[in-house]
Each structure stands twice: as structure tokens, then as C-alpha cells.
């Protein structure tokens, strides 16, 4: 039996967590094959990606985003796969910018196409980008991205975003014995350009070979960034808002570093994020095994009220807290990160 939606301002899940953030995947395709997301041995030349007709249209994304915003969502983030592969993406950004109630529109990208798209995206209303780069060492980065792509291409994308006036954050996934030796070099090179964030290696999807031995705890990352190897030059910074995923610290020169510690310090208790796949499946957790189809009702004539009610019903009974339960449920099958972004 469906539950009547509560007043929009008070919509919370079973643990009292509000709905504030929506991540919208616009494609399942990517122009890299990062080992922790889309390993080349699985996502090879013969891999069957989604046909264009299966993807939500821009009009459908706009309608669904409007329903989420009416239920309390304030921040929208476009993801993929690699979202910059979606044709005419600035047109979608312009549509979403016009939604009343949206306070922030951002995008997560590998940065390769930013030299061409940063300016038109900014003109359309995009405010921020988060760019992934896991090493400045060409050999290490080439192995991690699966295609031998040089890090200079990502650095060029970061520069293009900065020149366009976009806010920039940098994400680095840390894996022991893979890229952890170069963390300080990356921090020193980029801290003056962007907020650098280091992410503990997570067991997203089903194919990245995750194991706990490959996780470098965030406290160890912080120590590696400091001159004395103890982390003593960093002081904690106040969180900007409830649900901020990165624990922020400031170094002696005022540069900010973020630590995303989903494994060693889970933040499920404040998670306010919903995720919409490129085919319109609503997932309430990055590690979810299944979701709710919103494309079908959308394409069969559902009204705005119908969509809002369905979304509210899903959120009200949400109980996801995978990172807090990881030891008990690690082996369950999960949606691929390339389907719903990070």
C-alpha cells in the first residue's frame, strides 16, 4: 500500500535522513577503463552498452529532476559513466538551471573533454566540476585508467575548467601498492588550484577486485601528505553542512584537503543522496542491489504528482547503510558504479 507523501519540507527516510542531493547519470559509457570502476577485461570492445533509445531524454531528466526538487532536493550532480560523452550536455544543464529551488549544479568527470566543453557548460549554468585523477605518474595513471592515457590530458581539463570560471575539486582513489606512494606529489602539485580529496578504495560494483588490504585509511593518507609524516600540520575544518561526505582539513599554508572514508569511518548516518541511472532507475545507495523504475511511469503518462508520490514512498522507507554493515553484506551483488556515478 502506498504511503501518502508528507509535506515536502519534512520528507525523511526511516532513519530521519532528508532528501537533499540527486546524482543523475546521463550515460553508461566512458572513454577510460579505470580498474576500480570499469575494468577493461569486463568492459571490453564487445561490451554491450545501452542503446540511445533506452536512455532518459533531456526532457525526461528535467521532469524527474523537478519532481525531486519539489521533494526537497537542492543539489544536482551530473554523472556517468563519463557525462561529457552525452551529446549536447550544456542543453541539459540549461534546463536544470531553470528549475526553481536548485541551489547547486555540479558534474563529475575524468576531465578529458573539458578543454572543449568547460566554457559552454559554465555559460549554461554549471557551477562546479569534480575531476578524477589518481596519479601524476604517467605509468601508474596509465595502468589505473586502463588505456594508458597520460595525466597531462586531465591536467589540461582542470586548467580549462579554472579558466572558464568553474569551481574545481579533484578526487583521487587511493589503493595500497598502486598509487599511494605518490599522494604527496599530487597534493603539492594541485592544492593551489583545487580542493583535493582522497577517497578510500571502496567495493563499488562487482568487478574491481576489492579487498581490505588494498585500503589506505584516511588517517594514513593525511600523514603521508604532511612534511613530518605525522599529519601534524593539518587541522580539522568545520563541516559546511550535514551530510558532507569529505572530512575537511587545512594545511599550514591554508590549503584544504578532503578525506572520504567510506570504509574506515562510514558516514551513512547523514547520507542525503539519491541516484538516478541513465535509464531512470532510482537507487537510494551507491551500493544498492536494486532500484525503482521511474522511466516506465514517466513514459506511460504519469503526472508530476504521481512521480513525486512514488519517489516519496521510496524515500520514506529507505534504510540503506551499506558502509556501516560492510562486514556482514560485502558479498551481495551491487549496481555498477558506471551506471550511477560515484
Amino acid at each position: 500500500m502506498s504511503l501518502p507523501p508528507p509535506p515536502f519540507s519534512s520528507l525523511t527516510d526511516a532513519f530521519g535522513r532528508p532528501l537533499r542531493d540527486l546524482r543523475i547519470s546521463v550515460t553508461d559509457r566512458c572513454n577510460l577503463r579505470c580498474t576500480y570502476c570499469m575494468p577493461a577485461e569486463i568492459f571490453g570492445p564487445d561490451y554491450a552498452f545501452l542503446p540511445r533509445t533506452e536512455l532518459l531524454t533531456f526532457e525526461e531528466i528535467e521532469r524527474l529532476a523537478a519532481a525531486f526538487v519539489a521533494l526537497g532536493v537542492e543539489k544536482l550532480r551530473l554523472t556517468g559513466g563519463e557525462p561529457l560523452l552525452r551529446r549536447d550536455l550544456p542543453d541539459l544543464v540549461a534546463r536544470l538551471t531553470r528549475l526553481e529551488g536548485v541551489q547547486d549544479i555540479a558534474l563529475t568527470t575524468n576531465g578529458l573533454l573539458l578543454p572543449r566543453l568547460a566554457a559552454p557548460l559554465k555559460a549554461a549554468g554549471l557551477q562546479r566540476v569534480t575531476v578524477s585523477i589518481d596519479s601524476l605518474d604517467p605509468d601508474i595513471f596509465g595502468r589505473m585508467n586502463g588505456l594508458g592515457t597520460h595525466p597531462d590530458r586531465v591536467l589540461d581539463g582542470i586548467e580549462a575548467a579554472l579558466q572558464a570560471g568553474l569551481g574545481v575539486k579533484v578526487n583521487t582513489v587511493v589503493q595500497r601498492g598502486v598509487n599511494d606512494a605518490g599522494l604527496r606529489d599530487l597534493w603539492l602539485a594541485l592544492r593551489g588550484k583545487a580542493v583535493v580529496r582522497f577517497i578510500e578504495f571502496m567495493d563499488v560494483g562487482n568487478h574491481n577486485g576489492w579487498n581490505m588490504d588494498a585500503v589506505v585509511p584516511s588517517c594514513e593518507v593525511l600523514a603521508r601528505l604532511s612534511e613530518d609524516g605525522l599529519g601534524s600540520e593539518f587541522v580539522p575544518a568545520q563541516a559546511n553542512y550535514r551530510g558532507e561526505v569529505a572530512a575537511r582539513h587545512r594545511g599550514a599554508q591554508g590549503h584544504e584537503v578532503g578525506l572520504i572514508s567510506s570504509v574506515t569511518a562510514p558516514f551513512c548516518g547523514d547520507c542525503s543522496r539519491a541516484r538516478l541511472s541513465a535509464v531512470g532507475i532510482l537507487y537510494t545507495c551507491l551500493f544498492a542491489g536494486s532500484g525503482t523504475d521511474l522511466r516506465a511511469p514517466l513514459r506511460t503518462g504519469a503526472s508530476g504528482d504521481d512521480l513525486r508520490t512514488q519517489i516519496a514512498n521510496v524515500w520514506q522507507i529507505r534504510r540503506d547503510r551499506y558502509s556501516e554493515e560492510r562486514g556482514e553484506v560485502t558479498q551481495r551483488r551491487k549496481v555498477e558504479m558506471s551506471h550511477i556515478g560515484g
Side-chain angles (χ1 to χ4, degrees):
M1 179 178 176
S2 294
L3 302 171
F8 296 159
S9 61
S10 63
L11 179 64
T12 57
D13 69 7
F15 295 134
R17 298 171 294 189
L19 175 59
R20 290 291 181 264
D21 306 82
L22 177 65
R23 302 193 169 200
I24 304 169
S25 173
V26 296
T27 180
D28 63 331
R29 298 172 185 265
C30 189
N31 45 5
L32 293 179
R33 290 295 179 269
C34 295
T35 54
Y36 52 81
C37 180
M38 295 179 67
E41 61 269 22
I42 304 296
F43 298 87
D46 297 326
Y47 185 82
F49 289 99
L50 294 166
R52 178 82 179 213
T53 55
E54 294 293 309
L55 302 180
L56 293 175
T57 66
F58 286 176
E59 181 181 0
E60 290 170 335
I61 292 173
E62 181 183 9
R63 283 197 65 201
L64 287 174
F68 278 95
V69 171
L71 291 169
V73 162
E74 299 169 343
K75 299 182 179 182
L76 302 177
R77 176 174 292 274
L78 300 179
T79 69
E82 170 48 52
L84 299 186
L85 291 175
R86 183 71 185 260
R87 187 182 306 168
D88 299 322
L89 192 64
D91 293 346
L92 175 61
V93 172
R95 284 174 175 263
L96 298 178
T97 299
R98 292 192 291 266
L99 294 178
E100 186 176 353
V102 174
Q103 297 181 10
D104 184 58
I105 299 180
L107 180 144
T108 298
T109 175
N110 59 36
L112 299 184
L113 299 177
L114 279 175
R116 176 167 58 88
L117 289 170
L121 285 168
K122 172 65 175 178
L126 189 71
Q127 295 163 268
R128 299 181 294 112
V129 293
T130 299
V131 182
S132 299
I133 183 168
D134 297 319
S135 177
L136 297 182
D137 182 290
D139 292 333
I140 294 174
F141 184 62
R143 289 195 298 271
M144 291 188 74
N145 67 54
L147 296 179
T149 301
H150 199 284
D152 283 353
R153 293 189 58 194
V154 182
L155 297 177
D156 289 344
I158 291 172
E159 288 296 335
L162 292 170
Q163 289 297 316
L166 291 166
V168 178
K169 292 181 180 179
V170 169
N171 277 358
T172 297
V173 174
V174 182
Q175 294 179 261
R176 190 177 300 281
V178 180
N179 65 333
D180 54 325
L183 301 182
R184 180 166 167 78
D185 289 341
L186 188 147
W187 158 247
L188 292 176
L190 294 177
R191 65 183 184 176
K193 299 176 181 291
V195 175
V196 183
R197 309 194 304 178
F198 295 94
I199 304 174
E200 291 179 344
F201 179 37
M202 294 181 288
D203 50 329
V204 293
N206 308 287
H207 304 295
N208 69 0
W210 183 87
N211 65 82
M212 191 63 193
D213 292 340
V215 176
V216 180
S218 290
C219 59
E220 182 179 335
V221 170
L222 200 64
R224 289 180 182 229
L225 300 183
S226 65
E227 292 182 0
D228 61 7
L230 299 174
S232 59
E233 68 187 75
F234 291 96
V235 295
Q238 185 75 27
N240 287 318
Y241 53 88
R242 179 186 176 187
E244 187 173 22
V245 299
R248 296 160 45 247
H249 294 72
R250 287 195 176 89
Q253 298 182 36
H255 300 299
E256 184 179 301
V257 62
L259 301 171
I260 299 177
S261 314
S262 174
V263 178
T264 64
F267 38 82
C268 301
D270 284 331
C271 179
S272 60
R273 290 172 296 284
R275 290 172 166 85
L276 186 65
S277 80
V279 294
I281 304 297
L282 167 60
Y283 293 94
T284 54
C285 179
L286 176 60
F287 304 96
S290 60
T292 301
D293 183 6
L294 298 179
R295 187 186 65 182
L298 189 65
R299 293 186 174 179
T300 53
S303 67
D305 284 342
D306 294 334
L307 294 172
R308 288 190 291 272
T309 297
Q310 185 167 3
I311 294 166
N313 287 335
V314 171
W315 193 261
Q316 283 177 277
I317 62 173
R318 174 189 187 236
R319 304 184 66 86
D320 302 283
R321 54 185 192 93
Y322 176 87
S323 289
E324 294 178 349
E325 301 174 311
R326 180 174 274 106
E328 306 168 26
V329 296
T330 297
Q331 299 305 314
R332 80 181 185 195
R333 190 161 186 85
K334 304 178 287 290
V335 63
E336 296 299 336
M337 186 166 72
S338 58
H339 289 184
I340 57 171

